Structures are given as structure tokens and as C-alpha cells.
Amino acid sequence: MTKNVGSIDRTLRIVVGLALIAAAATGTIGVWGYVGVVPLLTGLMGWCPPYAILGFNTCKTK
């Protein structure tokens, strides 16, 4: 798995994922907020399966 998620993209995914999980845990938005696990994990791993399938890459070229 080659990293295909850049630093800004990763940061946004982690923040949004944590916010959704926190909102779901406090009962603010309901159980569907636990879908925030997906952006959280892709942000932490630096790899997004749909990006790989569609050929997207937000990482800087070295």
C-alpha cells in the first residue's frame, strides 16, 4: 500500500473523523456518526482505497 493521502488531506480526515465520533459518542448526531472511523483510519494510515482505485494521489511528489 503506497501512501496516496497528503498531509493536509490526512489532517482534515483525522479532524473530521474524530469530530464525528465525538458527536456520536455524546449523542449529538446519532449512531451514524461512527462512520467517522473510516476517515480517521484512512487519515492515520495515509492510504485511501477509493483513491487507489481511481488513481488519485494528494501526496507531494518526491
Side-chain angles (χ1 to χ4, degrees):
M1 294 186 303
T2 304
K3 291 189 184 242
N4 60 3
V5 180
S7 60
I8 294 173
D9 196 0
R10 288 180 77 177
T11 303
L12 288 174
R13 287 171 185 258
I14 292 169
V15 169
V16 168
L18 288 173
L20 283 171
I21 293 168
T26 60
T28 305
I29 58 173
V31 179
W32 72 268
Y34 287 108
V35 76
V37 169
V38 174
L40 178 63
L41 290 177
T42 59
L44 292 173
M45 291 187 324
W47 182 75
C48 178
Y51 274 21
I53 292 168
L54 298 172
F56 292 133
N57 187 348
T58 59
C59 286
K60 291 184 179 181
T61 307
K62 292 184 179 182

